[in-house]
Amino acid sequence: SGRSGDGGSTLRPLYMDVQATTPLDPRVLDSMLPYLTAYYGNPHSRTHAYGWESEAAMEKARRQVADLIGADSREIIFTSGATESNNMAIKGVARFYKSRKKHIITTQTEHKCVLDSCRSLETEGFRVTYLPVKKNGLIDLKELEAAFQPDTSLVSVMTVNNEIGVKQPIHDIGQICRAHKVFFHTDAAQAIGKIPMDVNDMKIDLMSISGHKIYGPKGVGAIYVRRRPRVRLEPLQSGGGQERGLRSGTVPTPLAVGLGAACEVAQQEMEYDHKRISQLAERLVTKIMSEVPDVVMNGDREHRYPGCINLSFAYVEGESLLMALKDVALSSGSACTSASLEPSYVLRAIGTDEDLAHSSIRFGIGRFTTEEEVDYTVQKCIQHVKRLREMSPLWEMVQDGIDLKSIKWTQH
């Protein structure tokens, strides 16, 4: 792999953290360049060619995003990313319908920006049900059914989880919400462009999209807002009334163009990418598990997006494993919470033991990951897990047949 560990080397680690962000696809960069240089008009300027050419590019991008999810381009609103889209969807719907409806349903394993939006609504007098998930990371549809109240306005459930890769039964959730006449929002940042999504087929009313999770630029995203049955939102951002009054501010043409191109490329490559990524993921998991005992895969084995693999290595501290694997860029959870020493709330929600939660590593496999990179990661991972376990007194006790749960640890 040509990665020298001499310290003075300028080689960067190989990248296995595509859930955090993805590299820009060269085809996306090509589409953006003209709008960063020659075509710099404001897409909302109606009186000259500079504005018209930018507007045309923006509207083309809107169609490309809509096509990927089976929507009408008028239902796509450009935002700064999925965090803004999630905030708009949750706060926007809740506040618009607040005179009659004061209840929201979500899950305990949502992205932090969804949970935080819900928390902030609780301070405004809304009630929120945070559904638990089963051991496999999926919600129980019966519990969802039971959670509806006469004044529920919104259900928000993410499609693919960013930490453990599990895929919720979106189709079924959409049907249940439609039957209850309650709006359904999904944070699809980790799903679109990777698995087929159709807003009509899945009965999704609002969907959050991010550019930098699908090989597009950072700082841009979109929210899908259904026209029929019509979803109304109270805007978070006031101003010139751009984006149908839902999101004022000049749409950044180069970024919007990049998001559109990323969606189009994803649509063309989806089947090929999925097949390839599945094979690489299978290779990674099989090789590690065949060489190392006591490895647990977090989240359902079947209902998942294969490119997000979360493994717990018993009797090894995840942070020390990450440090040892310094020539591979990996993480122990989401980028948003990676600085805290708390174990991941997603792993806690699926009932992972505290010590196992601390020993988990997330492997991200994407469009540009190679077989060599997977094999290098596997080899290093096996090597360091074995080394760290040999240093661990706990591992030694387990080898001697001692049940760690039976030990009374004294505080000195």
Side-chain angles (χ1 to χ4, degrees):
S1 191
R3 289 165 202 286
S4 60
D6 59 5
S9 130
T10 52
L11 277 173
R12 292 156 77 218
L14 58 87
Y15 191 73
M16 297 284 277
D17 200 17
V18 291
Q19 276 72 43
T21 195
T22 52
L24 198 63
D25 190 295
R27 292 164 284 192
V28 171
L29 179 61
D30 286 345
S31 71
M32 290 168 66
L33 279 172
Y35 298 94
L36 288 161
T37 51
Y39 302 98
Y40 49 79
N42 182 323
H44 313 289
S45 298
R46 285 287 164 83
T47 54
H48 50 68
Y50 289 85
W52 304 330
E53 64 202 11
S54 289
E55 185 188 25
M58 174 179 83
E59 291 309 327
K60 177 188 175 187
R62 207 187 294 281
R63 281 195 304 279
Q64 290 169 314
V65 176
D67 285 348
L68 180 61
I69 60 170
D72 179 311
S73 63
R74 292 171 300 179
E75 299 173 305
I76 302 297
I77 305 289
F78 288 114
T79 68
S80 63
T83 291
E84 186 186 356
S85 302
N86 284 333
N87 273 267
M88 279 173 73
I90 292 162
K91 294 173 182 169
V93 166
R95 289 171 184 161
F96 191 92
Y97 296 96
K98 70 172 181 273
S99 57
R100 300 193 317 269
K101 301 182 167 184
K102 300 287 275 190
H103 180 243
I104 292 159
I105 300 171
T106 187
T107 80
Q108 293 174 4
T109 53
E110 293 299 305
H111 190 277
K112 208 161 177 7
C113 63
V114 167
L115 297 176
D116 278 0
S117 294
C118 290
R119 293 257 184 273
S120 101
L121 288 173
E122 285 179 298
T123 66
E124 295 173 27
F126 291 89
R127 301 183 319 284
V128 182
T129 300
Y130 298 93
L131 292 173
V133 292
K134 298 181 285 193
K135 272 250 179 266
N136 62 0
L138 302 177
I139 64 165
D140 184 328
L141 293 172
K142 290 193 187 64
E143 288 186 16
L144 171 63
E145 279 278 6
F148 284 94
Q149 296 175 14
D151 67 340
T152 305
S153 60
L154 183 74
V155 169
S156 180
V157 179
M158 77 199 309
T159 306
V160 168
N161 185 277
N162 55 311
E163 287 192 36
I164 56 176
V166 297
K167 190 165 84 203
Q168 298 292 349
I170 295 300
H171 212 280
D172 302 338
I173 298 170
Q175 277 180 312
I176 293 169
C177 292
R178 190 62 60 87
H180 285 271
K181 295 195 163 45
V182 169
F183 292 131
F184 174 34
H185 165 251
T186 188
D187 169 1
Q190 297 284 353
I192 65 140
K194 300 183 173 81
I195 59 172
M197 297 286 294
D198 185 301
V199 289
N200 295 314
D201 179 41
M202 295 172 159
K203 301 189 169 37
I204 293 166
D205 300 305
L206 301 115
M207 180 195 278
S208 302
I209 291 169
S210 169
H212 77 108
K213 307 292 187 187
I214 56 169
Y215 311 93
K218 292 164 181 63
V220 68
I223 181 173
Y224 156 80
V225 183
R226 180 175 287 284
R227 282 170 73 90
R228 288 197 217 0
R230 188 170 179 204
V231 183
R232 308 289 303 272
L233 303 179
E234 188 176 292
L236 299 185
Q237 189 140 298
S238 324
Q242 295 92 337
E243 296 300 275
R244 302 216 323 267
L246 291 177
R247 206 277 183 185
S248 289
T250 302
V251 172
T253 314
L255 297 181
V257 165
L259 175 63
C263 286
E264 185 169 298
V265 170
Q267 199 167 1
Q268 293 160 0
E269 305 283 356
M270 195 184 305
E271 213 175 309
Y272 175 80
D273 278 351
H274 195 278
K275 203 168 124 187
R276 209 178 138 267
I277 288 167
S278 301
Q279 287 165 350
L280 290 176
E282 183 62 31
R283 185 179 179 100
L284 180 123
V285 174
T286 310
K287 284 191 163 193
I288 289 177
M289 290 201 169
S290 65
E291 287 287 325
V292 184
D294 298 313
V295 180
V296 181
M297 185 166 181
N298 296 306
D300 196 279
R301 291 298 286 260
E302 297 305 306
H303 304 279
R304 65 180 310 105
Y305 168 65
C308 179
I309 303 151
N310 191 306
L311 301 178
S312 290
F313 297 90
Y315 320 113
V316 173
E317 189 69 64
E319 295 300 321
S320 24
L321 185 51
L322 282 180
M323 292 303 138
L325 291 165
K326 60 181 178 301
D327 43 3
V328 184
L330 292 159
S331 74
S332 53
S334 72
C336 326
T337 53
S338 70
S340 79
L341 288 171
E342 276 287 281
S344 143
Y345 64 86
V346 173
L347 294 180
R348 231 181 322 195
I350 61 173
T352 307
D353 277 349
E354 183 96 359
D355 48 351
L356 266 185
H358 273 299
S359 67
S360 80
I361 301 280
R362 182 181 66 181
F363 299 85
I365 295 176
R367 181 179 294 163
F368 302 118
T369 308
T370 64
E371 198 169 273
E372 293 73 34
E373 288 177 322
V374 168
D375 289 349
Y376 181 81
T377 303
V378 165
Q379 170 217 326
K380 285 287 179 204
C381 192
I382 292 167
Q383 176 193 332
H384 289 296
V385 169
K386 286 182 172 169
R387 182 179 64 81
L388 288 166
R389 278 181 179 172
E390 260 144 39
M391 292 157 59
S392 158
L394 295 179
W395 176 248
E396 201 175 325
M397 290 157 83
V398 170
Q399 300 315 297
D400 293 342
I402 300 170
D403 176 13
L404 295 182
K405 294 242 189 292
S406 69
I407 298 172
K408 297 274 178 283
W409 302 99
T410 60
Q411 297 279 314
H412 285 296

